[in-house]
Amino acid sequence: MSYREVASKQVLTWAFVAVAARMPVAMAPLALVFLVRERPGGYTLGAALAAVYVLGEIIGAPVLGLRLNARRARPHLAVGLAGGAVGFAGLGALPGAHPVILGVFAFLAGAAPAAVSGGLRALLTSLVPGHAAEQALSVESMLTSAIWAIAPAAVTGLALGVAPGVPPLLAAALMGVSVAGLWLLPEGWQSEERTGRTSQLRAVASAWPVYVTGAAGLSLLALAELVLPALLEQRGIGVGWSGPLLLGMSAAAGVGAFLYGLRSWPGRLPTRSVLLLCGMSTAVVLVALTPDLAGIGAGLAVAGLLQSGAMLTRNLSLREALPPSALAAGYSVMYAAVSAGYAATGSLAGALLRLTDPSAAILAGVGLTLALTGVGWWGEIRRARRPGAAVSAVAAGSRAAGAARVGDGGPPARAKPRVGEAPRKRG
């Protein structure tokens, strides 16, 4: 397997659009805190606005994702990004507004573009040969790791060095740029068949084990991130090390995504996911128990390295489980599940730190992650044993093989071109 399979002008264009669309998402929570921190009760208000933003994502992702048209997704994505730009612009232009008004803008900024991430991922896999999906998703994961590594530093520098309203205004400008960039990409992605709303909802709901394991993976790392400052203080280590440690974890995640895409890995996707989540849990236990900075850094780096692989396996599992027309909806529901897991983890971390020390809080989070992993694994086994599972697997394999034939330059499956399908170039 080679990354040359995904090296094309269209994938590069997709990457620019994805960065412009996703950087505001990575900037949002910290930008909201800095926006109002100088007001009375600013930190509390900032946390509340961040929670409203995440609530918007949780609600918007599944509701809007299920409405995406696989053949003509561009208008839906453009409207979502434009709505997000309006929300961020309102926050940046009116930082002194009443908290309710700021809450409305924060909710709009989170909800309107919430389905864009799933739509862009479905579009990316349609731009490459079917057998190069792992490499394409690995590239996406590396890009995401870079975005989340850069965003906090950018927000901090702009908010403290220029003005608190600048990061939301920059986020609005980036989303506006991404709207224009959509017209350089195909209108939609490949869809073999038209799927009714009811059957699509049923298909998306049937993949619930993947959503559970997805939420488990990010919730585990979210707990480690949120409790990290308190853990460092407990160990007698300066809390200023939190930034470098989390930056190292993001860098390790990027490396893990690159390594995952270099080759084909043995075993079924659900099995890989469980093994990676168990490895992550072991690494986070090391973070909770180790007494020194080096051990904490090593544990976070290993957890980040494995987390990118776990994220890729769940995206590939979802791609295997759903028809092309339901992929964006499935990715959007995954986004909502992960956001809900992160929000719940934040609440759990706050509650646990009032009752116990940071090490015990992290270990409790590991226990919750392993329980969710077990539920997801049980669901995968149960779904695989259903009478129609084998037929669905054969159909999914046929779709993937057909996509690979088209991507390799072989004869198309049909003489009539598919609506929204892009010409694929070999890099």
Side-chain angles (χ1 to χ4, degrees), residues 172-192:
L174 287 171
M175 283 199 164
V177 169
S178 67
V179 172
L182 287 174
W183 267 260
L184 301 176
L185 295 171
E187 190 176 13
W189 50 89
Q190 179 179 334
S191 180
E192 295 286 352

Side-chain angles (χ1 to χ4, degrees), residues 68 73-85 112 116 175 178-180 182-183:
L68 280 176
R74 184 190 294 152
H76 297 258
L77 299 178
V79 169
L81 288 168
V116 171
M175 283 199 164
S178 67
V179 172
L182 287 174
W183 267 260

Side-chain angles (χ1 to χ4, degrees), residues 320-378:
E320 187 179 82
L322 297 177
S325 58
L327 269 180
Y331 289 139
S332 297
V333 172
M334 171 74 79
Y335 187 85
V338 169
S339 297
Y342 194 95
T345 298
S347 301
L348 176 65
L352 289 175
L353 288 176
R354 293 191 187 96
L355 301 174
T356 186
D357 59 61
S359 298
I362 292 176
L363 292 176
V366 170
L368 176 61
T369 296
L370 292 175
L372 290 173
T373 301
V375 171
W377 175 248
W378 171 79

